[in-house]
Amino acid sequence: FNSFYSEALHFTLTNAQKRVIKEIRNDFGSGRQMNRLLQGDVGSGKTIVAAAAMNICSQNKKQSVLMCPTEVLAKQHFENFVNWFKDKNISIELLLGKTKKSDKEKIEKKLINGEIDILIGTHTVFQKNIEFKSLALIVVDEQQRFGVKQRFDLASKSQSEEMPHQLFMTATPIPRTLAMTIFSDLDLSVIDELPPG
């Protein structure tokens, strides 16, 4: 992992980001399904934490998906991921509502064959034709914009019998006691440090 952010990034991760990535790595190695809520202000670097987790999946020949509430945000994440992973031999695809039918069909085939490592998209990823060969991680950006049923539907889209890990990101401040009450099945990570500048 150290090689990922030293080679791909032009900045140093904050201690808070490193701490959360370690928490996620520990979850991956625990033998249980991760259900983790990642809370941090806009600009605190939640996305690069998600990218690091998705990189771990890719290195282990597993697939991951990043679900965004808007096409603008999905495109922004896609551009960042392509830049971060450009030297990593990792296949990344973008799936939007307005993706051409022929391109969508190509993505569908590649997903089921395991030829796509990371899929970034909007609600389009819920469509019934979208299935993964070995989905290991679901990342949901702005998790409050998606329903619980939608998240469970996405978790069932893998041909693998293992339930995928789930990482939910939000910029909405949620006190730890309230989070434990509302999200009793979720562990909580907080990025409480902004990058320099």
Side-chain angles (χ1 to χ4, degrees):
F1 170 73
N2 288 335
S3 64
F4 162 64
Y5 72 81
S6 63
E7 294 170 10
L9 308 181
H10 302 294
F11 53 86
T12 303
L13 296 183
T14 64
N15 288 329
Q17 287 171 309
K18 292 177 183 178
R19 183 189 71 243
V20 173
I21 291 169
K22 186 176 180 181
E23 291 170 351
I24 292 171
R25 286 177 63 112
N26 289 341
D27 284 344
F28 284 174
S30 70
R32 64 180 178 85
Q33 182 195 24
M34 177 182 75
N35 284 290
R36 185 168 292 279
L37 178 66
L38 173 57
Q39 188 257 308
D41 290 341
V42 172
S44 64
K46 296 185 295 295
T47 306
I48 193 63
V49 168
M54 297 169 97
N55 179 57
I56 293 170
C57 292
S58 299
Q59 300 311 312
N60 287 279
K61 310 301 181 189
K62 300 289 186 179
Q63 296 169 298
S64 54
V65 58
L66 170 57
M67 195 166 60
C68 309
T70 67
E71 293 196 351
V72 171
L73 191 56
K75 287 179 182 176
Q76 180 183 327
H77 284 330
F78 177 72
E79 290 170 4
N80 283 333
F81 273 61
V82 167
N83 183 46
W84 292 333
F85 290 113
K86 61 187 174 187
D87 299 321
K88 289 292 177 185
N89 195 29
I90 291 175
S91 173
I92 307 169
E93 291 287 351
L94 177 66
L95 183 63
L96 306 173
K98 60 185 177 186
T99 300
K100 290 192 299 185
K101 185 179 179 182
S102 57
D103 291 336
K104 184 170 169 287
E105 289 173 350
K106 288 177 185 176
I107 290 173
E108 289 171 5
K109 288 178 182 176
K110 285 183 177 181
L111 277 176
I112 205 70
N113 290 333
E115 297 173 41
I116 294 175
D117 299 301
I118 295 174
L119 179 67
I120 299 173
T122 56
H123 289 77
T124 311
V125 301
F126 292 120
Q127 293 180 356
K128 64 180 181 180
N129 290 340
I130 304 299
E131 288 190 30
F132 298 79
K133 181 179 182 180
S134 57
L135 180 61
L137 174 64
I138 297 167
V139 181
V140 182
D141 199 3
E142 295 190 32
Q143 66 85 26
Q144 70 277 7
R145 303 277 290 274
F146 296 94
V148 174
K149 183 180 183 301
Q150 288 178 312
R151 300 199 298 257
F152 276 113
D153 287 346
L154 192 56
S156 66
K157 282 186 169 287
S158 179
Q159 288 192 333
S160 170
E161 293 183 4
E162 294 179 27
M163 283 296 288
H165 299 291
Q166 299 187 77
L167 178 66
F168 309 110
M169 303 192 294
T170 182
T172 305
I174 302 174
R176 186 172 293 270
T177 50
L178 181 60
M180 288 173 67
T181 302
I182 299 174
F183 305 108
S184 59
D185 60 334
L186 294 181
D187 294 313
L188 179 64
S189 291
V190 179
I191 298 181
D192 51 8
E193 179 183 3
L194 288 173

